Amino acid sequence: MRLGRRWLGVVLAGCCACAVLAPSAWGWEYVTGPPKTETVHWQLASFAAKPPPPPGKRSVWIEVSTGYCVGEEPPSIHRVKIVERPRHRSIITAFLRFPAPVEVSGNVEAGEPVPACAGVGLSLFRLVKLRRPKQDLTLFDGSFSPPRKVHSFKP
């Protein structure tokens, strides 16, 4: 029995040493990157829980689905840009801000463990106020080029 416990101690010590030394031997490492803002796809919000008060005649709720790694600060909707076009069209572009994302620096060679992120799903909601009544509008997502049609309120 004593030999088994000693052997277990040697194996555990070896594993801990490998875990400390191995990342320096690989060709990549985790680095905290600078904050970044990206355009993201959005959709009209559909609330599973108790919905907020209904928007007025000139506003809509949008939803952005995203995720982040465990240990990071969660992203937030930085701003929403609205461009009103002729013929009852509005282009809405949502910008998502990632405070300090963890990024992989270096190259992952064949045979090395692949960096992974234990992701957490997140849905963010924002009330968008329009300049015209929504009853005649067609909404487009500005994160695509050209913008894609999302919803039409026309009867």
Side-chain angles (χ1 to χ4, degrees):
M1 265 320 216
R2 288 184 154 220
L3 183 61
R5 288 184 181 170
R6 285 184 186 162
W7 177 250
L8 182 63
V10 170
V11 170
L12 287 176
C15 288
C16 291
C18 287
V20 171
L21 298 175
S24 62
W26 297 331
W28 60 269
E29 63 180 337
Y30 287 113
V31 180
T32 301
K36 61 181 177 180
T37 303
E38 298 178 352
T39 59
V40 291
H41 312 302
W42 60 269
Q43 61 189 12
L44 288 180
S46 58
F47 297 96
K50 180 182 175 188
K57 293 181 180 179
R58 294 177 186 245
S59 58
V60 292
W61 282 98
I62 65 168
E63 175 182 2
V64 173
S65 297
T66 185
Y68 63 101
C69 291
V70 173
E72 291 183 7
E73 290 183 52
S76 60
I77 296 178
H78 180 61
R79 66 186 175 106
V80 175
K81 178 181 168 186
I82 304 165
V83 178
E84 301 281 342
R85 294 284 187 197
R87 295 187 297 175
H88 305 289
R89 296 180 179 180
S90 290
I91 300 172
I92 300 174
T93 307
F95 294 87
L96 197 65
R97 183 177 186 278
F98 293 92
V102 175
E103 300 171 345
V104 175
S105 174
N107 296 326
V108 179
E109 302 295 332
E112 291 181 353
V114 178
C117 166
V120 178
L122 183 66
S123 291
L124 303 170
F125 299 93
R126 173 70 62 97
L127 182 65
V128 177
K129 297 188 179 188
L130 305 167
R131 294 184 194 102
R132 294 187 278 197
K134 65 183 178 187
Q135 66 201 22
D136 297 331
L137 283 179
T138 301
L139 301 178
F140 291 84
D141 185 352
S143 65
F144 295 98
S145 180
R148 289 188 185 171
K149 182 178 174 180
V150 175
H151 189 77
S152 178
F153 290 102
K154 294 181 181 180

